Amino acid sequence: MTWSRRWTPPFVLLAAASLAACGGGEPEGFLLPADLGAASFSFPRPPRRAEIEIDQERRPALLTPPSGFRWRGRVPEGARLVAGYGVPAAAWRRGAGLEVLVEIDDGSGRELVEVARSAGGEPQRWSALTADLSRWGGREATLALRARWTGRRRGRGEGLIAWAPVALTAAPRRAPARPNVVLILIDTLRRDRLTPYGYRRDTSPEIQRRLAGRGTVVEEAYAQAPWTLPSLMALMAGRYPGEMAHEDLPGFAFALPAGIPTLAERLRALGYRTAGFYANPTLHTGNGFARGFETFYTPPPTLESMRRHADDVTGRALPWLAAHRDRPFFLYVHYIDPHDPYDNPDVVGGRSPFDPGYSGVVGGDWIHGFYTGQLQLRDPARDLVHVNALYDSEVRYVDRFVGRLLEGLGPALADTLVVLTADHGEELLDHGGWKHGQTLYDEQIRVPLIVRWDGRVPAGKRLRGTVRLLDLLPTLVGAAGGKVEPESDGVDLLPALTGRGRLPRRPAFAQHLSSGPWRAAAVLDGEKAIFFNAAQPFVPADEVQAHFWRLDLARFARAELYDLARDPQERRNLAAAEPARVAALAPVVHRQLAHQTAGVWLWLPAAGAGPAGARLGGSIRFERPPEGWAPYLLAPQDRVEIAGDTLRFDLAVESLAKGLLVRGAPGGLRAAALALDGQSLPPARLRLGPGRPWRDGPAPAAALDAAGWPPGDAPGAGGAALHLWRSRGAPAPRGAHDPETERRLRALGYIQ
């Protein structure tokens, strides 16, 4: 290798501060390409920065000829060199093989420290090497990194090598002012199948030993949707997904709007190095889930990608960790196990290690067929036991690699805030269905949440009280020294996690955001209410949606209420017997849905007009003809019609509040009439906007405006029989329809 030619980057020195030690100007190492501006680097030929993608993994890289580069300085104590490298596709076709060499010269002669070899026939992907340089700690030396082709060559030119990243790391000397952040999300993981939550099988010894035993287990954490895309929107943006989703649901937008900064963008703005390794192919660059990540990986949208297991994504994350663990970093790892198919290297011949005696025919790849109604259990009692064992073996497999990921942190774990959670759970025939996305029962939306931060979050503690996935954004940003805007829907959990404060008493709201009429839930203080808008017109687009629709009509009520402490399996619906408890939780759902939906609402309070069973009829005449209307929890016997500028209705008075949404811009109120069981009601029984009694005359559109869901009104002769008010909808930016997301969902069998 020639050392004679030197090229110094002609731009501002970006990393002088990072190369200064605690005292004396002693270098602390480097990270390429971020520290390329330091004068201690030289290149035989000018390098080039670029975003390089190899095997679906995009990294910020430094492109050089194989001659590479050198660095001159004082080698830090306990130093290691970690180098990631790859060959762009065009260059890879030219060579049969590649060797990467690390050499060092401290004045006593050049020494070869490490050699890594790749055969030309191997699949193209990023590679990594690690060289121990601790023997040269404290010495002035010249470090060289170069590559050379081996074997037969085709074509001309040396080809370019992509270096991404290359880090000279030092032994840690002091605790950083801010923690590293590692967020581990296990797709489709049921909370009740983890050892820390009392499961009978030891499915998660690593999570128990490394996280739950050394940190705090949150008992009541809820996802904001029962499937990946909207649930991850809530986590990454700290906002309810219904506020950001395309208005034409199911429009398969579920793209993070550009106007809302993501968790990765916020932490990167605070100076963190960022990497996101997603094993779920529905999360990609086009729908915003790559935003803020310097290094980003997501697999191709094929069924085969669903068979890439935890070993694959861990193998990608560990080299990045090795190169970055001595700097403030944010690492997001999204495992796809235990999402179906329930299969992994531990499952041999279709048999789970938890159920080796099974002799039936059902395998882990049958689950999607069960979900779509195309397959049925042959021997329901025995087959279901085996399906559960297959699922549990998936949990056990991913647990092993969570342990390896945490082990890869090494000493940096002491300065790292680690959070483990899931985007949603999985139904295993608990309520008559399979997989996820359609229901809001606990097996689908109650998720694990475990937090470890040594010296800050108590070990072995269990935190009780309702929290939401969208609370993670303000929590992690707060730990990193940042703040979120007041309109964020989440709250900072750190005071409660560290014992410095109490957990805010906030309800969890969730909605399904998938095919079919809306369903939404509210959870607080161990009680859950679920609402199903069955009266909403719906025509299934395909046979899969038709299957879901038949199933949902058979198993859902308009209102359900569960005491989760006494009935954790949600078998006894208390809604009919306990209407007051339903009414206490219902406003959580009503306020959120009204907040994210613009329009004029006609609202019948629970038993506000009169006794249950009475009929409230009447008409509302607007300034302009409405475009249409949509039912909101109406009963089958309720009647509504629009004729020109007049809306007529005949509604049953019930213990359940309900109403309808008027579409379009009908303007203000011109006239109205109300009657209870045929008897006219005084105009004041109609309340406008935030609750003002109507005075029997025209009211402008502005009179209908209300900041939020109208306050309840006590039943009785003078109470409100009907509310008429207008919601402006959510102020948050919304995502547009994303064709690539739809294509990926189709490729994976979720849309036909």
Side-chain angles (χ1 to χ4, degrees), residues 56-69:
Q56 310 294 315
E57 183 177 339
R58 187 204 71 215
R59 300 183 183 182
L62 197 65
L63 289 172
T64 76
S67 52
F69 59 91

Side-chain angles (χ1 to χ4, degrees), residues 172 176 180 321 324-326 329 408-417:
N180 305 312
L321 258 183
H324 293 83
R325 65 187 186 188
D326 66 336
F329 64 80
L409 281 164
L413 181 57
D415 305 315
T416 301
L417 169 57

Side-chain angles (χ1 to χ4, degrees), residues 158-202:
E158 292 182 295
L160 294 176
I161 308 299
W163 306 101
V166 180
L168 181 62
T169 66
R173 297 186 178 183
R174 61 190 184 281
R178 298 179 295 167
N180 305 312
V181 177
V182 174
L183 176 54
I184 302 169
L185 187 139
I186 302 178
D187 204 303
T188 319
L189 177 62
R190 288 177 62 133
R191 166 193 176 276
D192 60 0
R193 296 305 174 91
L194 287 181
T195 304
Y197 289 96
Y199 190 44
R200 60 185 175 84
R201 285 177 173 150
D202 190 18

Side-chain angles (χ1 to χ4, degrees), residues 345-503:
D346 288 350
V347 176
V348 179
R351 300 295 180 264
S352 165
F354 289 119
D355 189 23
Y358 178 71
S359 59
V361 297
V362 172
D365 57 353
W366 285 44
I367 308 306
H368 195 76
F370 295 152
Y371 171 72
T372 59
Q374 297 170 337
L375 293 175
Q376 302 295 326
L377 297 174
R378 305 285 184 85
D379 179 358
R382 186 65 185 91
D383 290 346
L384 187 58
V385 170
H386 184 59
V387 168
N388 276 271
L390 288 170
Y391 178 88
D392 290 347
S393 69
E394 286 274 88
V395 179
R396 181 63 181 260
Y397 188 78
V398 72
D399 172 79
R400 184 183 313 152
F401 288 92
V402 169
R404 293 185 187 177
L405 180 71
L406 296 175
E407 184 179 19
L409 281 164
L413 181 57
D415 305 315
T416 301
L417 169 57
V418 183
V419 176
L420 181 140
T421 189
D423 50 349
H424 54 78
E426 183 86 325
E427 184 177 4
L428 298 167
L429 214 58
D430 300 72
H431 288 88
W434 295 91
K435 289 183 61 169
H436 48 269
Q438 291 297 111
T439 85
L440 298 170
Y441 299 115
D442 266 16
E443 63 267 11
Q444 289 202 36
I445 65 168
R446 192 172 182 179
V447 294
L449 181 57
I450 305 173
V451 181
R452 175 179 175 179
W453 188 5
D454 294 355
R456 297 291 298 276
V457 172
K461 179 181 176 182
R462 304 189 81 87
L463 181 65
R464 290 176 170 80
T466 306
V467 304
R468 299 83 51 86
L469 282 187
L470 55 78
D471 294 327
L472 289 181
L473 182 141
T475 301
L476 299 182
V477 171
K483 295 182 179 180
V484 299
E485 58 278 1
E487 57 266 28
S488 173
D489 293 318
V491 297
D492 187 349
L493 303 176
L494 273 181
L497 287 168
T498 59
R500 293 183 290 106
R502 302 185 64 179
L503 185 70

